[in-house]
Amino acid sequence: SIVVGIAIGLIGIFGYQQWRNHQVSHQTAASGLYQQLQGLLEAGNTTASDSIVQQLMNDYSDTPYAMFAVSDRARRQVEAKNYDKALDSLAWAEQHAPSPELKALVELRIAHVQLGKGDAKDALAALDRMPPDSYTIVSQELRGDVLVKLGRPDDALKAYQAAVKAMGPQAQQGNEVQMKIDDLATAGKQGA
């Protein structure tokens, strides 16, 4: 029984090491493809880059590299004004995000695209899906922009103030969010 116990222990240790080695090689291969993708994008080779993005999606969907590659593709799609394709790409990235932090980042990007597309309600819904303390400065500023678009200046002001508060004492007086707050105050005085 001692020999059997030792054999089982050794098999378990060996199996774990093999699994770990597989995980490391899997991540390394995905990283290599992502680096190759970045080189192709810098060279402007979109056909080859689309092929690598597809390979990352098919073979490495459990890695952050696939999510980043698809998010990069979504950015290029937004630049080409293909908002629906970008949203499809980001939906895939959201579904395959390997951590809550990365999922929140993708939701933030979805909100940006929705606002750029002119769908403020959908942008607000994407922001509402984010955990409350995720990317607070950026998400609250974007929330304020969305609320302004929806005609809710009082709520927008609260969102902008939350963004400034999240900046802490190092927030400079002339920052962009503070200017948006000042613009709302000016618009409020003109409307009164």
Side-chain angles (χ1 to χ4, degrees), residues 4 16 26 58-59 66 75 112 126 143 156 159 168 189-190:
V4 170
Y16 176 75
H26 184 71
N58 293 340
D59 300 336
R75 180 183 44 77
H112 271 287
R143 181 178 296 278
K189 287 178 185 175
Q190 290 175 352

Side-chain angles (χ1 to χ4, degrees), residues 66-81:
M67 189 214 73
F68 288 133
V70 173
S71 293
D72 290 345
R73 179 176 70 185
R75 180 183 44 77
R76 292 190 314 274
Q77 290 166 332
V78 165
E79 290 169 358
K81 306 283 191 242

Side-chain angles (χ1 to χ4, degrees), residues 100-101 104-105 107-108 130-140:
E101 294 82 12
L105 179 62
E107 289 164 342
L108 185 63
M130 292 178 64
D133 294 332
S134 298
Y135 307 101
T136 305
I137 296 168
V138 178
S139 66
Q140 288 300 321

Side-chain angles (χ1 to χ4, degrees), residues 18-188:
Q18 289 300 318
W19 177 79
R20 261 320 267 155
N21 289 340
H22 170 72
Q23 291 291 81
V24 168
S25 66
H26 184 71
Q27 289 286 335
T28 302
S31 172
L33 280 172
Y34 187 71
Q35 288 176 348
Q36 185 180 353
L37 172 66
Q38 296 307 305
L40 289 169
L41 290 174
E42 286 177 20
N45 190 341
T46 56
T47 304
S49 67
D50 288 341
S51 173
I52 290 181
V53 170
Q54 196 59 49
Q55 184 179 359
L56 282 164
M57 290 172 69
N58 293 340
D59 300 336
Y60 302 95
S61 64
D62 59 333
T63 68
Y65 299 105
M67 189 214 73
F68 288 133
V70 173
S71 293
D72 290 345
R73 179 176 70 185
R75 180 183 44 77
R76 292 190 314 274
Q77 290 166 332
V78 165
E79 290 169 358
K81 306 283 191 242
N82 292 326
Y83 296 112
D84 290 331
K85 286 183 179 182
L87 289 170
D88 289 343
S89 293
L90 290 171
W92 186 94
E94 180 182 21
Q95 185 179 19
H96 291 85
S99 71
E101 294 82 12
L102 291 176
K103 184 173 183 169
L105 179 62
V106 173
E107 289 164 342
L108 185 63
R109 290 178 178 174
I110 289 171
H112 271 287
V113 174
Q114 292 286 12
L115 184 60
K117 185 181 174 188
D119 292 337
K121 287 183 181 179
D122 290 338
L124 189 58
L127 289 169
D128 288 342
R129 287 194 305 267
M130 292 178 64
D133 294 332
S134 298
Y135 307 101
T136 305
I137 296 168
V138 178
S139 66
Q140 288 300 321
E141 180 182 3
L142 183 58
R143 181 178 296 278
D145 295 346
V146 169
L147 291 167
V148 165
K149 186 88 167 176
L150 290 172
R152 296 168 47 190
D154 292 339
D155 292 333
L157 181 61
K158 290 176 187 173
Y160 289 145
Q161 288 170 338
V164 170
K165 183 180 178 186
M167 290 178 196
Q170 68 272 18
Q172 297 177 354
Q173 187 60 26
N175 69 51
E176 187 175 338
V177 180
Q178 187 61 50
M179 286 191 276
K180 290 177 182 181
I181 292 171
D182 295 343
D183 288 345
L184 279 177
T186 302

